[in-house]
Amino acid sequence: MRKLRGAATLALVGLAALAAGAVGAGGAHFVDIDEPKYAAAGLEMLVSGDWLRPMVNGFPRLEKPPLVYWLMQPAFKAAMALGGPAAATPLVARTPSLLAAALVAIFTAIMGRRLLGARAGLAAGLILPASAVFHVLSHILKVDMVFAAAMAAASCGFVLRLKGEAKGWSLALIVAGLGMGGLAKGPFIFVSLAAYAAALASLGLFAPDAGWSERLRAAGRNLRVEQWLFVGGIAAGAAPLAAWLAGAWWVGGVDYASAFADQFVSNSSAGAGLKPWRVLVNPAFYLGFSAMLGLFPWGGWLPGGAVRLLRHVRERDGAWIFLAWLAVLHVLLGVFVFRLRAHRYLLPAFPVFALMIADFLFSPERSRLRRMLFWAGAGLGLATAVVFALRFVAAGTASINLWEGYPVDWSSGPAVLLISGGVLLAAAMAWACRIQSKRPLLHAAVLAASFIVGAGLYANLFPNAAAPEDRRPMLAGRAVELLRTLAPGMLVVHTDSLAAYYPDLHYELALDRAAGRIVYTAPPPRVVEGAQRLAMALLRPQQTAGLAASSRGPGCFPATRYFKSRRFRETALLLTGQERMELTPWLQWMEAALPVRVESNCFTGYSLKWVEDSMCLVRLHPR
C-alpha cells in the first residue's frame, strides 16, 4: 500500500507538470527565437533519416548535441502519420520539453520523499511546475529542460546513494542521467559529478573533533571509496557523446567537437571580463534575482530555505551538502561561463531550490525568525505580482519571452477575466498562507493550483492559432507560399540577417521538404560586400550556387548536393524591406544598363515577435 501511495503521488506530480505546460502561452506559435531552429533540425532529421548530423537548411547545425532532435522524432512521426506534414506544428515539436518538465518534477518529488517525507516531497514536486521560469521553459522548445531532466535524474541517484537507499536504482539513475545529459548539453552534465565529489570531500573536512591533517585524510578516504563511481560516471557521460561525435565525423566529416570547443571557449572568454568587485557581487545578485523571481510565487521563501539548508550542512547531512554544492556550482557557471544572460541557465538548480522551499514550509519550527521569513516571503510574492500587473496595465501590454510588449486591450473579455480571476486567486492564496502552519500541504496545493489557473488565464491574452482572429499571416509562411510558385530552375538567395530575424523561414522550408518539395536557400556570394553581393547573385545564379556549395562543407550535405546537381537559370532574392531599399540603386542601374526588367513582389505579414513587417521577392526578367 505504501508503494502504491508513492506511485500515486509521483503520478500526481507528473500530471500537474503536464497540465501546467499545456496551458503555456503562445499556443501554436513560436515564442522564442531558437524554437524554429530546433524544430527545423528535428524535421530535417526525420525527412533525411540522418540521425547523426542535425541539419538546418541542408547544412549542419553545430550548436548542440542531438538528443533533443532525437526526442522530437516520435512526436513528429505520429503527428505526420495522422495529419501529414502540416500536423508537425510547434506544439508537437515542444513534446520533449513538456515531458522533460514532468520528469524533473517527479525526480524532485522522489528526492523530497527521501529527505523530507511524503507530504513535503509532494509539495516540492508541485512547486516546480507552478513557478514562473520553469513553467515558461516547460512549453518552449529548447535544450534546457531536457538537460535539466538529465541533471535531475543524476542528482536523484546521488541523493539516494548518499542516503544509502536503493543502490541499484541510484546507480542506474546516475548512469542514465550522465549519459543523457552528455547528449543534451555536453560536458556541463559533469557538474553533478563534481558536486558529489565536493560533498564527499566536505564530509571529511567537516569531521568534528579532528585536526586538519586527519580531516584531509578523511576526505581522501571518502573520495577513494567512490573512485570507481567517478571513473564510471565520467565514462557514462562521455562515452555516448564521444560515440556520436565519432559517428558524425566518420559519416559526414562534420567536426562537431571543434565547434563545441569553440562555443565553450567563446562563452568562457565572454564572461572572463568580469571586474573583481563584480566577481563577488554577481553570484549573490544572480542567485537572488534569477532564483527568487524565477521561482515566483515561491521565491520569497528561498531565504528561509537557505537557513534550513545551512542547518543541514552543519549537521553533516551528506545529501543536503551535495545539493548545496550543486546549487553553488550552477550559480558560478551562470556568472563566469554564461554571464548572467538568462534565467534559464539556472534551471538545473531549480529542484534544489524547490526542496529548500519545501523544507522551510514544512519545518515544525515555530520561532519568531521563521514567522518573519514566512510572511516576508509571502509579501514579496504579492508585491511582485502587483508590480508586474500595474506595469502591464499601465503600458497596455503583456509579455512572454519573445513577445515583449504585446499590445493588450485591458477592457477586453480575456483581460477582464484575468483581472477578476487574479483577484479571486490572490484571495485564495492569502487564505492558504493563513493556514500554512497547520496545513502546509493544503497551502502548497492551493498556491500551485492558483498559479496554474492564473497562467492559463494569462495565456488567453496572447495569439493562438485556434482563434480565427489570430490566424494572421506569418511572413515566413507567406514567403514559402510564394517560393512554391517559382520554376524548378530558380535559385533562392537570402542574407544571413534575414535568416537570423526570421528563423521560422527554415522551419517552413523543412515542412515543404517533408511534403516532397525540395528547395534549399543559398547565401549571397562573399567575393564582394553589401548590396553588390545581392546584385551579383541576381546576375550570376550558377556561380552563386557554386560558391554556396563550395563554401559550406563537404559534398555529402543535402544542400551541397542540391546546389551542385542542379542547373539554375535565374535567381530570386528574398529580402527584408530594409534590404530591398538598400538594393534599390543597384536595381535601377541594372534596368538602365542591361536589357532586363526588375520585378519586386513585396508583401506584409507578422514576424516571430508578432510585429507587422514586410519582405520582398526580387527577380530579373529579360526584355
Side-chain angles (χ1 to χ4, degrees):
M1 183 63 69
R2 183 178 179 182
K3 290 185 178 180
L4 185 61
R5 285 199 299 268
T9 298
L10 298 181
L12 177 61
V13 169
L15 289 174
L18 293 174
V23 299
H29 298 289
F30 290 118
V31 295
D32 186 88
I33 199 71
D34 290 326
E35 276 197 301
K37 302 174 188 175
Y38 283 103
L43 274 173
E44 292 205 27
M45 182 176 287
L46 179 64
V47 173
S48 66
D50 186 351
W51 285 49
L52 290 176
R53 299 173 301 171
M55 302 269 181
V56 171
N57 194 36
F59 292 111
R61 175 168 165 79
L62 301 173
E63 280 75 6
K64 294 292 185 294
L67 180 61
V68 69
Y69 311 118
W70 292 349
L71 295 177
M72 277 187 262
Q73 302 307 299
F76 275 148
K77 282 185 179 180
M80 293 173 66
L82 294 174
T89 63
L91 290 173
V92 174
R94 293 180 183 127
T95 303
S97 293
L98 187 60
L99 297 179
L103 287 177
V104 175
I106 288 172
F107 286 129
T108 303
I110 293 174
M111 289 188 282
R113 287 177 65 88
R114 294 299 186 272
L115 296 173
L116 305 170
R119 290 172 173 266
L122 173 59
L126 294 175
I127 286 172
L128 285 178
S131 57
V133 168
F134 190 94
H135 166 71
V136 170
L137 291 175
S138 68
H139 53 259
I140 287 182
L141 178 55
K142 278 182 175 288
V143 72
D144 299 274
M145 191 59 75
V146 174
F147 178 71
M151 183 69 74
S155 301
C156 185
F158 285 125
V159 166
L160 293 178
R161 192 170 184 86
L162 286 165
K163 284 297 186 181
E165 301 178 15
K167 290 191 174 181
W169 280 106
S170 68
L171 187 60
L173 286 173
I174 291 170
V175 171
L178 292 174
M180 300 290 277
L183 285 172
K185 213 169 183 179
F188 293 108
I189 190 61
F190 292 123
V191 170
S192 61
L193 200 61
Y196 184 63
L200 293 177
S202 299
L203 286 172
L205 294 174
F206 296 159
D209 303 327
W212 278 107
S213 59
E214 180 59 31
R215 292 183 180 186
L216 290 173
R217 284 194 294 270
R221 284 195 301 270
N222 290 344
L223 294 173
R224 283 194 299 273
V225 167
E226 295 283 45
Q227 59 183 338
W228 289 111
L229 178 64
F230 293 124
V231 173
I234 293 173
L241 180 64
W244 167 68
L245 290 172
W249 178 80
W250 179 263
V251 171
V254 185
D255 191 358
Y256 283 94
S258 175
F260 293 156
D262 291 344
Q263 186 183 31
F264 183 82
V265 170
S266 175
N267 285 334
S268 302
S269 60
L274 293 175
K275 296 180 180 180
W277 66 270
R278 293 190 68 189
V279 171
L280 297 176
V281 173
N282 275 336
F285 170 80
Y286 188 55
L287 179 63
F289 183 75
S290 291
M292 295 179 69
L293 183 61
L295 284 163
F296 170 83
W298 314 84
W301 294 310
L302 196 58
V307 172
R308 295 286 301 171
L309 178 64
L310 289 175
R311 292 183 181 178
H312 291 304
V313 170
R314 284 200 298 267
E315 293 168 0
R316 300 182 67 246
D317 188 316
W320 281 104
I321 293 175
F322 161 75
L323 293 173
W325 273 112
L326 190 65
V328 167
L329 291 178
H330 278 297
V331 170
L332 294 178
L333 272 179
V335 172
F336 294 105
V337 176
F338 300 120
R339 293 192 305 158
L340 319 178
R341 285 180 296 184
H343 301 303
R344 59 189 175 91
Y345 293 122
L346 203 55
L347 182 65
F350 272 36
V352 180
F353 301 145
L355 291 168
M356 292 165 57
I357 293 170
D359 184 27
F360 171 71
L361 294 177
F362 282 76
S363 168
E365 180 184 355
R366 294 294 178 265
S367 65
R368 180 179 298 178
L369 175 62
R370 199 266 182 192
R371 290 195 298 272
M372 182 186 70
L373 289 174
F374 175 79
W375 287 110
L380 180 61
L382 177 62
T384 302
V386 170
V387 167
F388 276 94
L390 292 177
R391 173 192 169 191
F392 288 151
V393 172
T397 62
S399 297
I400 175 69
N401 207 48
L402 193 66
W403 294 347
E404 182 70 30
Y406 176 76
V408 171
D409 179 8
W410 286 98
S411 62
S412 63
V416 171
L417 182 62
L418 172 63
I419 294 172
S420 57
V423 172
L424 294 176
L425 293 174
M429 295 168 75
W431 170 80
C433 287
R434 288 192 61 187
I435 65 168
Q436 192 278 330
S437 60
K438 296 180 180 179
R439 297 182 179 180
L441 182 57
L442 180 60
H443 163 258
V446 169
L447 253 66
S450 299
F451 178 90
I452 293 172
V453 172
L457 296 175
Y458 186 70
N460 287 335
L461 298 178
F462 296 92
N464 192 309
E469 65 272 16
D470 291 334
R471 294 175 189 162
R472 307 182 193 182
M474 303 300 289
L475 265 177
R478 294 200 63 183
V480 172
E481 287 178 3
L482 194 58
L483 294 181
R484 291 174 190 156
T485 65
L486 300 179
M490 185 74 67
L491 176 68
V492 180
V493 173
H494 63 71
T495 61
D496 292 335
S497 59
L498 182 140
Y501 195 69
Y502 300 101
D504 49 335
L505 174 67
H506 290 315
Y507 167 74
E508 297 287 347
L509 288 171
L511 285 175
D512 257 29
R513 286 191 282 273
R517 295 182 288 269
I518 307 300
V519 174
Y520 292 100
T521 57
R526 296 185 179 276
V527 292
V528 291
E529 294 300 325
Q532 296 181 49
R533 294 169 57 192
L534 299 172
M536 180 176 288
L538 275 175
L539 294 172
R540 302 174 180 176
Q542 199 62 41
Q543 181 181 352
T544 301
L547 289 172
S550 62
S551 65
R552 300 298 291 270
C556 58
F557 298 154
T560 307
R561 293 196 300 267
Y562 173 83
F563 294 132
K564 285 184 175 181
S565 63
R566 300 203 175 198
R567 182 70 180 173
F568 297 100
R569 296 182 298 274
E570 292 183 64
T571 301
L573 293 182
L574 189 61
L575 308 173
T576 65
Q578 180 64 33
E579 289 171 341
R580 172 64 179 82
M581 292 177 60
E582 294 173 358
L583 190 62
T584 297
W586 284 95
L587 296 178
Q588 293 174 346
W589 173 84
M590 284 183 183
E591 286 194 306
L594 301 173
V596 296
R597 176 177 61 85
V598 177
E599 177 190 356
S600 294
N601 189 341
C602 296
F603 49 93
T604 60
Y606 286 80
S607 68
L608 277 181
K609 295 183 178 181
W610 209 250
V611 175
E612 192 170 10
D613 209 337
S614 64
M615 279 190 191
C616 293
L617 190 68
V618 178
R619 299 170 57 187
L620 294 183
H621 296 284
R623 288 180 179 172

